[in-house]
Amino acid sequence: MRLSTKGRYAVTAMLDLALNGTQGPVTLADISENQGISLSYLEQLFAALRSKGLVRGVRGPGGGYYLGRDSDEISIADIICAVDEWVEFTRCKGRQNCQDGQRCLTHNLWDDLSQQIFIFLTDITLHDLVQRGEAREAERREKKASSQVVGLKTQAA
Amino acid sequence: MRLSTKGRYAVTAMLDLALNGTQGPVTLADISENQGISLSYLEQLFAALRSKGLVRGVRGPGGGYYLGRDSDEISIADIICAVDEWVEFTRCKGRQNCQDGQRCLTHNLWDDLSQQIFIFLTDITLHDLVQRGEAREAERREKKASSQVVGLKTQAA
DNA sequence: GCAATTACCCAGTAATTTGCTCGGGAAAGA
DNA sequence: TCTTTCCCGAGCAAATTACTGGGTAATTGC
């Protein structure tokens, strides 16, 4: 599945911002190069993100983008909604041709499911992702170090 | 967000099958009318679903489609993967230009996230959805009944 | 055997979305 | 004033979505 590539780009860019924006703003040119996304496309995405208050732009030299609020206040759902506008309407909604119940049940079930996915994505923040990533990174370093020790031992033996 | 409309159609159609396929096969024509999806488009989707063993077709009059296995053995991820082929590759994967670590970290984080979403969708089966829907339906009937009682009471008072 | 009914298959295609180029501003700092 | 950045909008190629229309193959009931 794809979960919409647009949303993927937006999440990736916001992650870049969360990682690199700790000391001063990050330029779109940087993100463009880091993530391999075209500059103009990023501009379009960030226009949407800005309009929802997820990022804050600073013009002029030394400018760039900040996160609009703390990374633990920005959920993945926020980001994806900003660029993708989560309009999940069923076909019959509001129409009169949905009285037999059966087909409405199907639609309700789908609505429930997409609601669940939404809640799931609302629970994950940028901060969560960064932290989990760091934890995993540390774990990896740990493992690498211990395997190096083992390697030395086996070499010695 | 959209999580790909193709997947939505497929899940909706499979739900229709789970609901109506208890006594005999369901024709694509029925699903087409119930869900408002074009017949030929359904055929395409079902070709993919069939190739993954999620549905089983029966030809001839009185024919149609069955679920390929029990509804509690079919996850939402199964369905979406069948029609959408979940190829979630990062841009730099395998290339040599990913040595600085920073950009790979972003990609790893995204990978982790999409992995989590996948696991989430793997945990939800068609059976779950139908059951939850029925439970909610029953709850609604309960409420309606009790509010009717209240209504009668207030009318009586 | 024949007609009807269904799944199955494939080629084409309009509409939409994606991801991008280009061309220009407007604000802010050197 | 010049450069650097954000900002804005028109246009556009490629891909994807959703559909139309042309079949063929199996199965059922007559």
Side-chain angles (χ1 to χ4, degrees):
Chain A
M1 102 166 192
R2 285 200 342 278
L3 184 75
S4 106
T5 28
K6 210 171 173 181
R8 181 170 78 98
Y9 272 164
V11 171
T12 305
M14 288 292 279
L15 267 170
D16 194 292
L17 207 54
L19 288 168
N20 298 315
T22 45
Q23 40 236 359
V26 182
T27 68
L28 288 189
D30 284 345
I31 300 179
S32 169
E33 204 186 342
N34 279 343
Q35 308 302 332
I37 309 170
S38 99
L39 185 60
S40 290
Y41 197 44
L42 272 178
E43 282 180 345
Q44 285 171 42
L45 295 180
F46 273 71
L49 294 171
R50 204 177 67 92
S51 78
K52 305 281 177 179
L54 297 180
V55 296
R56 194 161 41 86
V58 177
R59 300 213 249 201
Y65 280 97
Y66 290 100
L67 290 182
R69 44 182 195 261
D70 276 356
S71 65
D72 60 352
E73 294 287 326
I74 298 176
S75 76
I76 304 305
D78 286 335
I79 300 169
I80 290 175
C81 283
V83 297
D84 244 355
E85 47 222 275
W86 182 300
V87 262
E88 205 41 85
F89 56 97
T90 50
R91 202 166 269 257
C92 67
K93 184 170 273 179
R95 292 217 210 123
Q96 75 285 8
N97 65 344
C98 199
Q99 63 278 65
D100 69 69
Q102 187 66 280
R103 94 184 62 167
C104 251
L105 182 52
T106 324
H107 290 160
N108 285 338
L109 292 180
W110 171 259
D111 274 351
D112 276 1
L113 176 61
S114 70
Q115 191 67 23
Q116 280 179 57
I117 297 170
F118 182 77
I119 290 170
F120 177 72
L121 292 179
T122 304
D123 267 352
I124 305 176
T125 67
L126 271 188
H127 183 72
D128 287 340
L129 276 180
V130 172
Q131 261 201 333
R132 275 180 234 182
E134 274 165 4
R136 199 152 314 185
E137 198 64 27
E139 191 186 323
R140 207 171 307 151
R141 271 196 299 272
E142 195 100 354
K143 267 201 188 129
K144 203 173 176 185
S146 71
S147 74
Q148 271 182 341
V149 172
V150 173
L152 285 172
K153 270 185 186 170
T154 44
Q155 234 180 358
Chain B
M1 99 166 195
R2 284 199 339 277
L3 185 76
S4 105
T5 28
K6 211 171 173 182
R8 180 169 79 97
Y9 273 160
V11 171
T12 306
M14 288 291 280
L15 268 170
D16 194 292
L17 208 54
L19 289 168
N20 299 315
T22 45
Q23 42 237 356
V26 182
T27 68
L28 288 189
D30 284 346
I31 299 180
S32 170
E33 204 187 341
N34 280 343
Q35 307 303 333
I37 308 171
S38 101
L39 184 61
S40 289
Y41 197 43
L42 272 179
E43 283 180 347
Q44 283 173 44
L45 296 180
F46 272 72
L49 294 171
R50 203 176 67 92
S51 78
K52 304 281 176 178
L54 297 179
V55 296
R56 193 161 43 86
V58 177
R59 299 211 250 201
Y65 279 99
Y66 289 101
L67 290 181
R69 43 180 194 264
D70 276 356
S71 65
D72 60 351
E73 294 287 328
I74 298 176
S75 75
I76 304 304
D78 286 336
I79 300 170
I80 290 176
C81 283
V83 297
D84 243 357
E85 49 222 273
W86 182 301
V87 260
E88 204 41 89
F89 55 98
T90 50
R91 201 167 269 255
C92 67
K93 184 170 273 177
R95 293 217 209 121
Q96 74 286 7
N97 65 345
C98 200
Q99 63 279 68
D100 68 71
Q102 187 64 279
R103 92 186 64 167
C104 251
L105 183 52
T106 324
H107 290 160
N108 285 338
L109 292 180
W110 171 259
D111 275 350
D112 276 2
L113 176 62
S114 68
Q115 192 67 21
Q116 281 178 57
I117 296 171
F118 181 77
I119 290 169
F120 176 70
L121 293 178
T122 303
D123 268 352
I124 306 177
T125 67
L126 272 186
H127 182 72
D128 286 340
L129 275 180
V130 172
Q131 262 202 333
R132 275 179 234 183
E134 274 164 6
R136 199 152 315 184
E137 198 63 28
E139 191 187 323
R140 209 171 306 150
R141 273 197 297 273
E142 193 97 355
K143 270 207 185 122
K144 203 174 176 185
S146 71
S147 74
Q148 270 180 342
V149 173
V150 173
L152 286 171
K153 271 188 185 168
T154 43
Q155 233 179 0

